[in-house]
Amino acid sequence: MTAHRTTTAKDVAAVAGVHPSTVSRSLDPLRASLVREETRQRVIAAANELNYRPDLIASGLRRQRTHTIGVLVPDLGNPVFAEFTGGINRRLERADYTAILLETQNQHERFQTGARLLSERRVDGIISGATRAGDRRTLRQLVQSGIPVVMAMRWIRGLEIPIVANDDLRGGALAAEHLISLGHRRLAQLHGADDIETFRERGIGFHGTLARAGIDDADQVRYAKLQTAAEARKLMRALLQACDEPPTGIFAHNDLMAVGAIEALKEQSLRCPEDVSVIGFNDMPLTEHLAPPLTTIRMPTAEIGRVAAETVLSMIDGASSPAVTISLQPRLVVRGSTAPPRR
Amino acid sequence: MTAHRTTTAKDVAAVAGVHPSTVSRSLDPLRASLVREETRQRVIAAANELNYRPDLIASGLRRQRTHTIGVLVPDLGNPVFAEFTGGINRRLERADYTAILLETQNQHERFQTGARLLSERRVDGIISGATRAGDRRTLRQLVQSGIPVVMAMRWIRGLEIPIVANDDLRGGALAAEHLISLGHRRLAQLHGADDIETFRERGIGFHGTLARAGIDDADQVRYAKLQTAAEARKLMRALLQACDEPPTGIFAHNDLMAVGAIEALKEQSLRCPEDVSVIGFNDMPLTEHLAPPLTTIRMPTAEIGRVAAETVLSMIDGASSPAVTISLQPRLVVRGSTAPPRR
DNA sequence: GTGAAAGCGCTAACAC
DNA sequence: GTGTTAGCGCTTTCAC
């Protein structure tokens, strides 16, 4: 193997017969006009000849800009977050920014080390898509260190940090309205983890809409630690055992939980949607191909990513951190897992 | 907003009453032994007090190591690649490395700009998980520039670049063996894109095993441009129209295509598995909850990521690039979408 | 065991 | 218009 030294601006300068700073100017679109056209052409020719790639690390050190955004997500295996990061990536790309994606696995310790890593890498901004109740201090420290931070998808209250998220209150309400309008009165929730505001909002939105219709689901809410099919199945079993008459409508806080619920129903020879209607959340891939195809709430996930990126970029440019909340609207996707209750 | 200056080694040095180079030594585990214990404690105290975070950018510039690996994937929305990057991330983390993930969307141009971006960021190594036939030149350039490169998941022949991948030849063979052993003789393939070696291998593995059993599927192979359910549905329709007697067994090159195939069968009132067996590939999330639950081939995706990361790290350390191919073994997951053919 | 000096590759400020 | 100089924050010689 040849000992490799990457070509630098100095090398290009030597070939073009100019000073390194002229190389720098010629190659930066913003300052190219400062250079005589003829000189610039010579530099570009030399750069191409040597296959020169400016060192963004060195440039970043000098400019105090890394053109990098740190993104914290709970888990890339979750298709919702894959879509979210897709939205971020597409927006950042247009601005010549790159994302560093870190998975927290819903663990505060990983959130914390992730945050530390990102500040050591001097990212220009951070999008926290994995925020949970326990992360408050860490987020406050980030803000205090002067780095622009945005909470997206998941968020907590009482921080001076912009929020870009789905309107989960509305999402829960949509689910309730749908089931009520079908004629359901005995309703239950398979509730996501209690320390994630997203799920609390979904729960409140659902509960509130029920209350306004004179329905109470207070005894019929079961909380999951992890929003998996397996855990939902257990919760659903317990729910069925605990009540004389099973509910006729179930709101599961995500699609995997809805799937688990339907399986638990099958175990008890209850059919979906004939005996019990089930509605999920997220509209993840393949849900339309399930039996029955899942009725669910779809949120504008990629759009949330896009707007979150936009927001953090504007904070990097503009001075002030607008402590705003941007709510994007979810919508109901009706498929086969919900139907009117049996007479 | 306060104008923020992040604290530097110089600041810490001032507080601890030492020289910046002593700060550097004290905080690097490898060189901490060069510093008197008492001094080191003073430095650490000062660093904590000031909440000092060493600047990895500056450190990288000096050491000519960014502790960053670039990873090119076709699409993070594809759960297989989410799992793959998970495997990479977990391994890199242990080595204090960070990944930069870039999505190519299966477009050569994006592969190329991605590669350029990664070299400008001076990543210490690259894992190409998105390799397609057209990317040969770009990969060769990367190698020539002296940067360690590994092809994982997807790969092409004839490059002096290590390969870490699923044994797709074996995967295709597993699918064939399963269908043959159930008693199927009329078989067809819904084949993934022709410019991705992965799919060619699956096709050859399937075809070869059939041939050895005296079965020919040559007329019964339909090629997709994109491996989606929608496209598979169309291909399957065409396939059914083109033949008098439909095949009794279908090998779809991924799970989405298998789902599309099953839907096309339903349109023609053909049932799966009673009339036609369908086997997929990947074992993506929710496949076990489909109706029927999908029989599929599972590959050790996270493990491929882990080994790819391991390989690129060893190339960064050790000098030579071992032009090896590491094949990991897939396995058959039998569920409900395959059964013996009807008499 | 610690300090001083130099330099990684780039670019901003200044000089001419 | 282009060259010169200096410095981003760190680490690595080399002194002492």
Side-chain angles (χ1 to χ4, degrees), chain A residues 21-51:
Chain A
S21 62
T22 300
V23 174
S24 173
R25 284 190 275 256
S26 304
L27 266 31
D28 177 354
L30 289 172
R31 291 174 301 145
S33 55
L34 300 174
V35 180
R36 184 150 42 103
E37 183 56 21
E38 184 205 298
T39 317
R40 201 175 74 90
Q41 289 307 336
R42 228 172 31 204
V43 169
I44 288 175
N48 285 336
E49 185 191 332
L50 298 179
N51 199 24

Short mmCIF file of all heavy atoms in Angstrom, two decimals, chain A residues 21-51:
data_model
loop_
_atom_site.label_atom_id
_atom_site.label_comp_id
_atom_site.label_asym_id
_atom_site.label_seq_id
_atom_site.Cartn_x
_atom_site.Cartn_y
_atom_site.Cartn_z
N SER A 21 -4.68 30.64 -0.47
CA SER A 21 -5.91 31.39 -0.18
C SER A 21 -6.69 31.67 -1.46
O SER A 21 -7.91 31.77 -1.44
CB SER A 21 -5.58 32.68 0.56
OG SER A 21 -4.79 33.51 -0.26
N THR A 22 -5.98 31.78 -2.56
CA THR A 22 -6.67 31.98 -3.84
C THR A 22 -7.41 30.70 -4.25
O THR A 22 -8.49 30.76 -4.84
CB THR A 22 -5.65 32.38 -4.93
OG1 THR A 22 -5.03 33.58 -4.53
CG2 THR A 22 -6.34 32.58 -6.26
N VAL A 23 -6.81 29.57 -3.92
CA VAL A 23 -7.50 28.30 -4.16
C VAL A 23 -8.80 28.29 -3.37
O VAL A 23 -9.88 28.00 -3.90
CB VAL A 23 -6.62 27.11 -3.75
CG1 VAL A 23 -7.40 25.81 -3.87
CG2 VAL A 23 -5.36 27.07 -4.59
N SER A 24 -8.69 28.62 -2.11
CA SER A 24 -9.86 28.66 -1.23
C SER A 24 -10.94 29.57 -1.81
O SER A 24 -12.11 29.19 -1.91
CB SER A 24 -9.43 29.14 0.15
OG SER A 24 -10.54 29.35 0.97
N ARG A 25 -10.55 30.75 -2.23
CA ARG A 25 -11.52 31.70 -2.79
C ARG A 25 -12.14 31.16 -4.08
O ARG A 25 -13.36 31.27 -4.28
CB ARG A 25 -10.83 33.03 -3.07
CG ARG A 25 -10.56 33.85 -1.82
CD ARG A 25 -10.11 35.27 -2.16
NE ARG A 25 -8.68 35.33 -2.40
CZ ARG A 25 -7.80 35.84 -1.52
NH1 ARG A 25 -8.22 36.31 -0.37
NH2 ARG A 25 -6.53 35.87 -1.79
N SER A 26 -11.32 30.61 -4.93
CA SER A 26 -11.82 30.18 -6.24
C SER A 26 -12.88 29.09 -6.13
O SER A 26 -13.78 29.01 -6.95
CB SER A 26 -10.67 29.65 -7.09
OG SER A 26 -9.66 30.61 -7.22
N LEU A 27 -12.74 28.28 -5.10
CA LEU A 27 -13.62 27.11 -5.00
C LEU A 27 -14.88 27.36 -4.18
O LEU A 27 -15.80 26.54 -4.19
CB LEU A 27 -12.83 25.93 -4.42
CG LEU A 27 -12.20 24.97 -5.43
CD1 LEU A 27 -11.79 25.66 -6.72
CD2 LEU A 27 -11.01 24.25 -4.81
N ASP A 28 -14.91 28.48 -3.49
CA ASP A 28 -16.11 28.81 -2.73
C ASP A 28 -17.01 29.72 -3.56
O ASP A 28 -16.65 30.87 -3.85
CB ASP A 28 -15.70 29.52 -1.43
CG ASP A 28 -16.90 29.95 -0.61
OD1 ASP A 28 -18.04 29.82 -1.10
OD2 ASP A 28 -16.71 30.43 0.52
N PRO A 29 -18.18 29.22 -3.95
CA PRO A 29 -19.08 29.99 -4.82
C PRO A 29 -19.30 31.43 -4.34
O PRO A 29 -19.42 32.35 -5.14
CB PRO A 29 -20.40 29.21 -4.75
CG PRO A 29 -20.01 27.83 -4.37
CD PRO A 29 -18.76 27.94 -3.56
N LEU A 30 -19.34 31.59 -3.02
CA LEU A 30 -19.62 32.91 -2.47
C LEU A 30 -18.48 33.90 -2.67
O LEU A 30 -18.69 35.11 -2.68
CB LEU A 30 -19.93 32.80 -0.97
CG LEU A 30 -21.27 32.15 -0.63
CD1 LEU A 30 -21.39 31.90 0.87
CD2 LEU A 30 -22.40 33.05 -1.10
N ARG A 31 -17.28 33.39 -2.78
CA ARG A 31 -16.14 34.29 -2.90
C ARG A 31 -15.44 34.18 -4.25
O ARG A 31 -14.41 34.82 -4.48
CB ARG A 31 -15.15 34.01 -1.76
CG ARG A 31 -15.69 34.40 -0.39
CD ARG A 31 -14.74 33.96 0.70
NE ARG A 31 -14.56 32.51 0.65
CZ ARG A 31 -13.42 31.91 0.94
NH1 ARG A 31 -12.37 32.59 1.28
NH2 ARG A 31 -13.34 30.59 0.85
N ALA A 32 -16.00 33.34 -5.12
CA ALA A 32 -15.37 33.11 -6.41
C ALA A 32 -15.28 34.40 -7.22
O ALA A 32 -14.34 34.61 -8.00
CB ALA A 32 -16.14 32.05 -7.19
N SER A 33 -16.22 35.30 -6.99
CA SER A 33 -16.25 36.54 -7.76
C SER A 33 -15.07 37.46 -7.43
O SER A 33 -14.78 38.40 -8.17
CB SER A 33 -17.56 37.28 -7.50
OG SER A 33 -17.71 37.49 -6.12
N LEU A 34 -14.41 37.18 -6.32
CA LEU A 34 -13.27 38.01 -5.94
C LEU A 34 -12.02 37.66 -6.76
O LEU A 34 -11.01 38.34 -6.68
CB LEU A 34 -12.95 37.81 -4.45
CG LEU A 34 -14.07 38.17 -3.46
CD1 LEU A 34 -13.66 37.79 -2.04
CD2 LEU A 34 -14.36 39.66 -3.55
N VAL A 35 -12.13 36.55 -7.50
CA VAL A 35 -10.96 36.06 -8.22
C VAL A 35 -11.13 36.33 -9.72
O VAL A 35 -12.23 36.21 -10.25
CB VAL A 35 -10.78 34.54 -7.98
CG1 VAL A 35 -9.57 34.01 -8.73
CG2 VAL A 35 -10.67 34.26 -6.49
N ARG A 36 -10.05 36.70 -10.36
CA ARG A 36 -10.12 36.91 -11.81
C ARG A 36 -10.50 35.59 -12.49
O ARG A 36 -9.98 34.53 -12.14
CB ARG A 36 -8.78 37.41 -12.34
CG ARG A 36 -8.81 37.75 -13.83
CD ARG A 36 -7.82 38.87 -14.15
NE ARG A 36 -6.57 38.65 -13.43
CZ ARG A 36 -5.44 38.17 -13.97
NH1 ARG A 36 -5.41 37.84 -15.24
NH2 ARG A 36 -4.36 38.02 -13.24
N GLU A 37 -11.40 35.66 -13.44
CA GLU A 37 -11.94 34.47 -14.07
C GLU A 37 -10.84 33.54 -14.58
O GLU A 37 -10.88 32.32 -14.37
CB GLU A 37 -12.87 34.87 -15.23
CG GLU A 37 -13.56 33.71 -15.94
CD GLU A 37 -14.36 32.82 -15.00
OE1 GLU A 37 -14.72 33.28 -13.90
OE2 GLU A 37 -14.60 31.65 -15.37
N GLU A 38 -9.85 34.13 -15.22
CA GLU A 38 -8.77 33.33 -15.80
C GLU A 38 -8.03 32.54 -14.71
O GLU A 38 -7.77 31.35 -14.83
CB GLU A 38 -7.81 34.25 -16.54
CG GLU A 38 -6.70 33.53 -17.27
CD GLU A 38 -5.50 34.47 -17.43
OE1 GLU A 38 -5.67 35.51 -18.11
OE2 GLU A 38 -4.43 34.18 -16.85
N THR A 39 -7.73 33.23 -13.62
CA THR A 39 -7.05 32.58 -12.50
C THR A 39 -7.90 31.44 -11.96
O THR A 39 -7.41 30.33 -11.70
CB THR A 39 -6.82 33.59 -11.35
OG1 THR A 39 -6.36 34.81 -11.90
CG2 THR A 39 -5.83 33.03 -10.36
N ARG A 40 -9.17 31.74 -11.81
CA ARG A 40 -10.09 30.76 -11.24
C ARG A 40 -10.10 29.48 -12.10
O ARG A 40 -10.08 28.36 -11.57
CB ARG A 40 -11.50 31.35 -11.17
CG ARG A 40 -12.41 30.65 -10.17
CD ARG A 40 -13.73 31.38 -10.07
NE ARG A 40 -14.55 31.15 -11.24
CZ ARG A 40 -15.43 30.14 -11.33
NH1 ARG A 40 -15.59 29.32 -10.32
NH2 ARG A 40 -16.13 29.97 -12.42
N GLN A 41 -10.12 29.66 -13.40
CA GLN A 41 -10.12 28.50 -14.29
C GLN A 41 -8.87 27.66 -14.09
O GLN A 41 -8.92 26.42 -14.09
CB GLN A 41 -10.23 28.94 -15.77
CG GLN A 41 -11.59 29.48 -16.16
CD GLN A 41 -12.74 28.54 -15.83
OE1 GLN A 41 -12.54 27.33 -15.71
NE2 GLN A 41 -13.92 29.10 -15.61
N ARG A 42 -7.74 28.35 -13.92
CA ARG A 42 -6.49 27.62 -13.73
C ARG A 42 -6.55 26.81 -12.43
O ARG A 42 -6.11 25.66 -12.37
CB ARG A 42 -5.33 28.60 -13.69
CG ARG A 42 -4.18 28.18 -14.60
CD ARG A 42 -3.15 29.25 -14.70
NE ARG A 42 -3.15 29.97 -13.43
CZ ARG A 42 -2.74 31.22 -13.25
NH1 ARG A 42 -2.28 31.87 -14.21
NH2 ARG A 42 -2.80 31.81 -12.09
N VAL A 43 -7.11 27.41 -11.42
CA VAL A 43 -7.23 26.72 -10.13
C VAL A 43 -8.13 25.50 -10.26
O VAL A 43 -7.80 24.40 -9.80
CB VAL A 43 -7.80 27.66 -9.04
CG1 VAL A 43 -8.17 26.88 -7.80
CG2 VAL A 43 -6.80 28.76 -8.73
N ILE A 44 -9.26 25.70 -10.92
CA ILE A 44 -10.20 24.60 -11.07
C ILE A 44 -9.58 23.45 -11.85
O ILE A 44 -9.73 22.28 -11.49
CB ILE A 44 -11.50 25.10 -11.75
CG1 ILE A 44 -12.29 25.98 -10.76
CG2 ILE A 44 -12.36 23.94 -12.22
CD1 ILE A 44 -13.52 26.63 -11.35
N ALA A 45 -8.86 23.81 -12.88
CA ALA A 45 -8.18 22.78 -13.68
C ALA A 45 -7.21 21.99 -12.80
O ALA A 45 -7.20 20.76 -12.80
CB ALA A 45 -7.44 23.42 -14.85
N ALA A 46 -6.42 22.72 -12.02
CA ALA A 46 -5.46 22.05 -11.14
C ALA A 46 -6.17 21.17 -10.12
O ALA A 46 -5.76 20.04 -9.85
CB ALA A 46 -4.61 23.10 -10.43
N ALA A 47 -7.26 21.70 -9.56
CA ALA A 47 -8.01 20.94 -8.56
C ALA A 47 -8.54 19.64 -9.16
O ALA A 47 -8.44 18.57 -8.54
CB ALA A 47 -9.17 21.78 -8.02
N ASN A 48 -9.08 19.73 -10.35
CA ASN A 48 -9.58 18.52 -11.00
C ASN A 48 -8.46 17.54 -11.28
O ASN A 48 -8.59 16.34 -11.02
CB ASN A 48 -10.28 18.88 -12.32
CG ASN A 48 -11.64 19.49 -12.05
OD1 ASN A 48 -12.24 19.25 -11.00
ND2 ASN A 48 -12.12 20.29 -12.99
N GLU A 49 -7.37 18.08 -11.78
CA GLU A 49 -6.23 17.23 -12.12
C GLU A 49 -5.78 16.43 -10.90
O GLU A 49 -5.52 15.23 -10.98
CB GLU A 49 -5.09 18.12 -12.63
CG GLU A 49 -3.90 17.34 -13.13
CD GLU A 49 -2.71 18.29 -13.36
OE1 GLU A 49 -2.96 19.49 -13.65
OE2 GLU A 49 -1.57 17.82 -13.24
N LEU A 50 -5.72 17.10 -9.76
CA LEU A 50 -5.23 16.45 -8.54
C LEU A 50 -6.36 15.76 -7.77
O LEU A 50 -6.13 15.19 -6.72
CB LEU A 50 -4.55 17.47 -7.64
CG LEU A 50 -3.32 18.18 -8.23
CD1 LEU A 50 -2.78 19.19 -7.24
CD2 LEU A 50 -2.25 17.14 -8.57
N ASN A 51 -7.57 15.86 -8.31
CA ASN A 51 -8.72 15.27 -7.63
C ASN A 51 -8.83 15.81 -6.20
O ASN A 51 -9.00 15.07 -5.24
CB ASN A 51 -8.59 13.74 -7.61
CG ASN A 51 -9.92 13.08 -7.35
OD1 ASN A 51 -10.97 13.67 -7.61
ND2 ASN A 51 -9.89 11.89 -6.81
#
